[in-house]
Every structure is written in structure tokens, then in C-alpha cells.
Amino acid sequence: SKTSYSFNGTNYQPISREKYVYTKLYTTTFNTGIKLSRPKQYADPTYFVFSGCAIHPCDLQPDIDAYIESVFAIDTKAYREASLLTSSENYTFDPLDSTKYVLVSTDYTYKEQNLAIKEKSTLSSEGSLLKTTFKYPHDFLPAEPYQTMVNKRIYSPVIEQSDYNGPKLISKAKTNYENWGNNIIEPEYIQVQNGDNGALENRVNYLSYDGHANVTGVRKTEDMPVSYLW
């Protein structure tokens, strides 16, 4: 948490406050092997040899049996989990009355495959609910080049982002990727949709890339193409 104050000449008054909550998610346990152990220990390694076994052989046998039977196996384990931001609160205080404030609460959910944000929902104390959803290469399998991206562990690029006000879609943006050869997978064009009654329209076309994945040609819709030299 973090709180900022202003001094009015007499007292400190809060201006804003931020609170963040982190949660452990996707906890997984793996068996990594077997450990053999023996809890029965002897301080002197010559115990069995020089303890008078030749004189009293039966006196030592119970200790030998207990030593043999004391061996046991333990599964060794590894643990994987992610501590991720799951909610936040942002307060903006009235500078004249700290009991009055505007609160904006945000909740986050994640995709387990890449630990990237899947959905972000923001609710203000004034009743406004905004939501943003994100889609990644995993969401478009088995289509190409997204299958190749996942195979190459390219998990994080946002392919599609949708913004909502309540249940109503405000806008959507989609970046379509292409395999340009030579292990280069980069955007081919960007599409945008305004409102829930429209359709995705091409806004930016990437025309070519060089051998280092630098864009060498791009064109906005109904505009002149632009070339880049590297």
C-alpha cells in the first residue's frame, strides 16, 4: 500500500491511496526422484567389528537387524507457483474532507500458460464498470502461425484486446501475425473495431521485414507506403 498526503498548515490530509493484493496461483507439485535415508546412526564405524561379536554373537544381532530395517525411501518434490497481482484499490480523497473519496477497484485474472493478464475489470464507486480482455497465441490454436509461436515459446504478444463498458463492447484491436520465413514471425496487419455493431477493419499493413525482423515496409490504410532502411 502507498498513501500520499498534503500539509494544510496544521495537519496532514490524505490525497490518494493505493492498495495491492497478491495471491499465489497455479501451485503445482512435481515428484523429482526418490531419496533413500537411514535414521539409525552409529557414531563409531567399527562398532560391528570390534564390539565383541565373536564372544557374544547373539547380543549384536538385534542391532544389525534394526540397522538393516531402518532404510526408508522419501519422494523428493519440487513446487511451482506464481505470486500475481489479483486486485487493487485506488482512492482519491476530497482535499477538504478526507472521509469523502472516489474509489476505483480493479480485479485481475490470468492465463496459466503464460501468466499474462486474461481479464481486467475496473469498478468505480460512481458505478462505472469497465472491462478489458486479452487474447494470446494460445487462444488461437491450432491455427498458424500461432501454433508455431507456442512451439517456440512465444507466449506473450497480445493478439486481441477488447474493451467493454458494462456488457457493451467499446472497441477491439487485433494484431494478426504471419510467418515471414527464416524464423521470423511478426505482425502482418492490425485491425480495429469500434463499437459492437461494426466489424474489424484493417488499419495498418506490415509489408516486409529484413533478416533481423526489422520492419522495412508499412502502410496505413488508404495512405502511402513507408519504407525503412536499417
Side-chain angles (χ1 to χ4, degrees), residues 9 11 39 57 61 73 78 107 122 132 137 143-145 152 156 167 170 178 208 211 213 218:
N11 299 308
Q61 192 59 44
D107 295 318
T122 302
T132 302
E144 289 290 353
K152 291 178 174 291
S156 298
I170 302 173
E178 178 60 46
S208 58
V218 63

Side-chain angles (χ1 to χ4, degrees), residues 180 184 186-189 204-219 226-230:
W180 299 85
I184 296 174
E186 294 291 340
E188 182 181 21
Y189 52 91
V204 178
N205 287 75
Y206 294 90
L207 306 176
S208 58
Y209 293 84
D210 66 14
H212 300 284
N214 298 310
V215 62
T216 55
V218 63
R219 179 176 62 195
V226 178
S227 297
Y228 297 91
L229 300 177
W230 300 82

Side-chain angles (χ1 to χ4, degrees), residues 25-26 80 82 84 109-118 134-141 150 153-156:
L25 301 175
Y26 312 121
R80 180 185 67 189
L84 300 173
T109 58
Y110 295 84
K111 291 190 67 64
E112 185 173 1
Q113 295 91 338
N114 60 355
L115 303 182
I117 297 175
K118 179 174 67 174
F134 304 88
K135 292 185 178 181
Y136 302 88
H138 279 100
D139 297 299
F140 295 89
L141 300 181
V150 170
R153 301 182 182 273
I154 304 174
Y155 298 151
S156 298

